[in-house]
Amino acid sequence: MKYIITLILGFFIGAGLFAVGLIYNPFMSDRNLSPLSVTDAEVITLNFSSVPNETIAYTNNGNALQQSRLEAALRLWKAPIRSASPPHPAKVLQLWEAPIRSTEAMVTVMRDARNQTAGIGIKFSSDSEKSRLLHGETIADSVWYIYLPEQGSFFIEQTENYWPFIRAVAFPAWRSSANNWRGNWLGDMTSGPGALGTAAVSGGSGRVQDLEMNGVESLSVRAYSAERGLVGAEGRLIIELPEARDESAGDSTTP
Amino acid sequence: MLKTFLLGIVLGLLATAGALYGYSVDQVREASILTVNPNGGSVESFHINVPMDRIMIGAPGQSGAVPAGLDWPTDEILADVRAEMFKIRNTRDTVIGVAIRTAAKNNEEDIIDWVLHLPARGSVFVQMDATPREGGFRSGEIRAGSREFAPLDGFMTERWVANTSVEEDAPIGRIELTGTYTARSKQTDGEEANQ
């Protein structure tokens, strides 16, 4: 009997060691520098709130409203992590049907570099079948539709890797006795499909009509709750304009 | 005893590695319902039952917000922007994705854009002609797409069909979206690469 207990004890210790090694693996380094942060081209910078109850509307499958702590912990490993948040406003239709159950939708005001309203952004984000936890990849397939009256419309396709966020913010929040995290974390969420880890941006109308561009979405987090999701966070989208068409600067900025 | 303990640790490491290796995200897939066009390409139809599939209507100064409690921004720059979000269904009446329709007026330019997001397949961005055609439908070009839709060109039509059923819980109508997909030609790819 004591051999069985020893074996089981060793098993759980081994499992724990592997999990700790995965989370704190120094070889899974976070990408700290966005390729667009060193570009010489003209860029459009858009800021938005990533906290669901500060958006115009946010909806998901609504599971956050009734999930247990165990379910919340398991949910932590899946992307996108905002699904811990309840929908906003409270009576918005939830995405409970099976084909859209792992999808979330957000409508938010996009602000320019001077913090003035620049337009509207809508983001759809779904858990990706490309997620590989062993490789440190918790992937979400997401698209943005952005309409900026002074610039035109944009369609942005990207894959996002939530692993650095989980490692630095969500896991410490889940581990803490109060189930929350406070601090300052800034990271690029975009991991593709561009070769340099950039999003593919297509211009639909206005001055960006028919242009193909690159973009990067980043997230700055100040507070996170394992139960309620993001509490204090700002998102930022940087879109790099092609150099050939940089007439009428508008709200764009050059770094 | 020590050997048993070490064996347990090794088993725990292997079991966890195996479990994580086998972990996968599986999107629920509905079989695509496509028909082949006689002149090339394939055709797929979607529809939206109104009002039950409407997730949001965002427009300045509207009465009766959808959903209740929606606080649409009142900034002047968004005065001519209207955005609606829906669930979209296939021809079997099964919800398979979500979509956004944005209508805006900017100077003399009218814009009507659709983005359809099908989680298991990808997304497609369509820009409609602002003026309806004869027969009351709009047509628009597929401007971009992701994943399954990335290598596709084509066009999509939107049409409002009022309900004629007398059933009590019937929708007041439906928005029909019909996409016609064609493969993007290699010549076009080459031209884009040169640009």
Side-chain angles (χ1 to χ4, degrees), chain A residues 22-231:
Chain A
L22 186 69
I23 289 167
Y24 297 107
N25 184 353
F27 298 107
M28 288 182 188
S29 61
D30 301 345
R31 195 187 63 173
N32 294 319
L33 186 63
S34 156
L36 299 193
S37 63
V38 291
T39 181
D40 289 330
E42 183 186 4
V43 297
I44 297 173
T45 302
L46 298 168
N47 300 312
F48 57 94
S49 174
S50 289
V51 180
N53 61 16
E54 293 173 5
T55 61
I56 297 169
Y58 167 80
T59 186
N60 56 21
N61 58 22
N63 278 356
L65 300 175
Q66 64 261 353
Q67 69 187 358
S68 67
R69 278 204 66 182
L70 177 63
E71 286 170 325
L74 293 173
R75 179 69 208 167
L76 192 72
W77 298 100
K78 295 181 80 179
I81 43 76
R82 272 199 314 276
S83 294
S85 309
H88 169 80
K91 291 190 175 174
V92 69
L93 220 54
Q94 293 171 5
L95 310 180
W96 57 268
E97 292 89 347
I100 57 173
R101 199 159 41 210
S102 58
T103 296
E104 52 188 30
M106 176 179 78
V107 184
T108 187
V109 172
M110 308 303 284
R111 301 186 186 279
D112 61 21
R114 298 189 301 259
N115 210 29
Q116 303 295 311
T117 300
I120 286 289
I122 298 108
K123 184 181 185 183
F124 295 127
S125 188
S126 301
D127 294 353
S128 173
E129 294 174 341
K130 286 180 272 188
S131 291
R132 295 287 177 270
L133 286 182
L134 267 188
H135 301 155
E137 295 171 346
T138 46
I139 305 290
D141 291 316
S142 62
V143 290
W144 277 96
Y145 171 80
I146 296 170
Y147 179 69
L148 310 177
E150 292 179 355
Q151 307 273 4
S153 56
F154 301 79
F155 172 77
I156 302 175
E157 173 209 358
Q158 63 176 350
T159 52
E160 297 177 85
N161 189 1
Y162 282 80
W163 182 255
F165 173 87
I166 289 172
R167 214 159 74 141
V169 178
F171 181 72
W174 177 77
R175 201 184 52 189
S176 86
S177 56
N179 268 342
N180 59 38
W181 176 92
R182 283 183 184 277
N184 280 302
W185 182 84
L186 172 67
D188 288 337
M189 307 309 290
T190 307
S191 62
L196 295 175
T198 53
V201 184
S202 304
S205 59
R207 68 180 285 229
V208 294
Q209 186 170 7
D210 296 331
L211 294 182
E212 298 297 327
M213 297 160 276
N214 292 313
V216 167
E217 180 180 347
S218 58
L219 184 64
S220 169
V221 185
R222 298 182 309 280
Y224 177 82
S225 161
E227 291 166 351
R228 290 182 295 137
L230 293 168
V231 178

Side-chain angles (χ1 to χ4, degrees), chain B residues 166-185:
Chain B
V166 291
E167 287 180 32
E168 202 172 294
D169 56 350
I172 58 171
R174 54 199 256 160
I175 300 169
E176 287 186 351
L177 295 166
T178 305
T180 301
Y181 312 131
T182 54
R184 188 165 293 157
S185 68

